[in-house]
Amino acid sequence: MTRLQTATPGIKPRKSKPARKAPGHWLLQDAKARFSELVRLVHSEGPQHVTVHGRDEVVVIAAEEFRRLKGGLTGQALIDALQASPHRDTDIAPQRTPMPVRQVEL
């Protein structure tokens, strides 16, 4: 037996609101469906945010920008910072203390 849904008098059925999308923000399903457009906008307008369930999940950026932000893996920034330090000539002598030796029975 099937049940027929009848409208309750005085109560209108709810209509789902269309998702609001701010410039530079994409719903995941829109980003997937229009990926080529998203990539073009990354190059012309900058980073594009992709949301899942209303929360920012990822930001799509150009590869060049990613490389710039990631930096080199050489450690050159650390070397430069240490060399620029006013305390770079300070000698740091490690304190060495003998470690106790435990005998293990076999």
Side-chain angles (χ1 to χ4, degrees):
M1 178 178 241
T2 59
R3 215 181 239 190
L4 296 176
Q5 287 187 340
T6 58
T8 307
I11 298 178
K12 294 181 182 177
R14 256 197 277 182
K15 292 182 182 178
S16 61
K17 288 184 179 179
R20 264 183 21 148
K21 183 175 62 170
H25 287 75
W26 296 72
L27 299 174
L28 178 61
Q29 63 267 24
D30 292 340
K32 289 192 305 186
R34 298 168 36 206
F35 190 71
S36 295
E37 181 183 349
L38 183 138
V39 171
R40 279 193 301 276
L41 287 173
V42 165
H43 289 289
S44 64
E45 297 180 11
Q48 301 292 305
H49 299 254
V50 179
T51 60
V52 177
H53 302 298
R55 293 188 329 246
D56 270 356
E57 285 296 323
V58 297
V59 178
V60 181
I61 62 172
E64 180 181 319
E65 178 72 3
F66 175 75
R67 283 190 290 273
R68 185 187 68 76
L69 291 171
K70 187 176 176 192
L73 299 176
T74 63
Q76 189 61 45
L78 176 60
I79 292 169
D80 293 343
L82 291 173
Q83 288 177 343
S85 169
H87 305 288
R88 72 171 186 253
D89 295 327
T90 303
D91 287 330
I92 301 173
Q95 293 181 337
R96 302 200 184 264
T97 57
M99 297 294 291
V101 178
R102 281 187 6 196
Q103 290 185 347
V104 178
E105 293 182 29
L106 297 176

